[in-house]
Amino acid sequence: MTEVEIIQRLQAIKANALALYSNFHVSAIVETDDGKFYEGFNIESSSYGLTICAERVAIFKALSEGEREFSRVYVMSDGDMPCPPCGACRQVLMDYAPNAEIVMFSEDGEKKAAPLKSLLPYAFDDSKLRK
Ligand code: THU
């Protein structure tokens, strides 16, 4: 997909987000190293803490389909600022997509991009387990 197509997909997905309580709609697309795309939006629960962010929905869909190598994660939210992934999503993305670039968009397509590793310095990861 071209960047314009990515922005259009993110806008379309975002419109379907199940943001029943916050009314803050987020969409995400993860891109695999071999050019496949998996999409997600935030899904909120009436027990608010059980809500899951768009980024984790998208990467869990990809992982559950057997994907393991990711090059990019695109995120868009409501509002005029490019949407940065929350801390919990940064951790999960670091576990499964450490080399990904995070491409963040406002609802109108204003863009910021940064490597995930720069967004989560000195990260906890499985290299710290059992040492
Ligand atoms: N949200 C995401 O989907 N991704 C983020 O990175 C930030 C927050 C969602 C969670 C919740 O449904 C709503 O935005 C407000 O926090």
Side-chain angles (χ1 to χ4, degrees), residues 19 22 24 26 42-44 51-55 75 83-86 89:
S22 72
F24 186 72
V26 186
N42 52 329
I43 302 175
E44 298 187 348
T51 288
I52 180 166
C53 295
E55 298 91 318
V75 191
C83 184
C86 79
C89 289

Side-chain angles (χ1 to χ4, degrees), residues 31-35 63 66-72 96-97 99:
E31 181 175 356
T32 66
D33 278 2
D34 57 354
L63 291 166
E67 303 295 347
R68 292 293 183 269
E69 306 294 332
F70 303 99
S71 55
R72 254 173 235 97
Y96 290 104
N99 299 314

Side-chain angles (χ1 to χ4, degrees), residues 2-17:
T2 65
E3 189 167 294
V4 169
E5 289 168 332
I6 293 276
I7 290 169
Q8 287 169 347
R9 279 304 302 156
L10 286 166
Q11 288 168 334
I13 302 160
K14 187 167 74 61
N16 295 320

Side-chain angles (χ1 to χ4, degrees), residues 19-121:
L20 284 71
Y21 308 103
S22 72
N23 200 34
F24 186 72
H25 303 78
V26 186
S27 52
I29 300 174
V30 296
E31 181 175 356
T32 66
D33 278 2
D34 57 354
K36 283 187 258 165
F37 297 91
Y38 292 83
E39 303 175 343
F41 51 60
N42 52 329
I43 302 175
E44 298 187 348
S45 169
S46 59
S47 180
Y48 302 158
L50 303 183
T51 288
I52 180 166
C53 295
E55 298 91 318
R56 277 176 287 149
V57 170
I59 196 153
F60 289 159
K61 281 170 69 176
L63 291 166
S64 70
E65 294 299 318
E67 303 295 347
R68 292 293 183 269
E69 306 294 332
F70 303 99
S71 55
R72 254 173 235 97
V73 179
Y74 304 93
V75 191
M76 177 184 284
S77 72
D78 292 340
D80 57 8
M81 299 283 290
C83 184
C86 79
C89 289
R90 291 179 199 206
Q91 179 64 48
V92 171
L93 293 173
M94 185 60 77
D95 289 327
Y96 290 104
N99 299 314
E101 181 185 33
I102 310 298
V103 187
M104 303 159 266
F105 293 103
S106 70
E107 64 184 12
D108 295 328
E110 187 189 327
K111 177 178 153 184
K112 256 190 207 316
L116 174 61
K117 282 179 179 159
S118 75
L119 299 180
L120 193 62

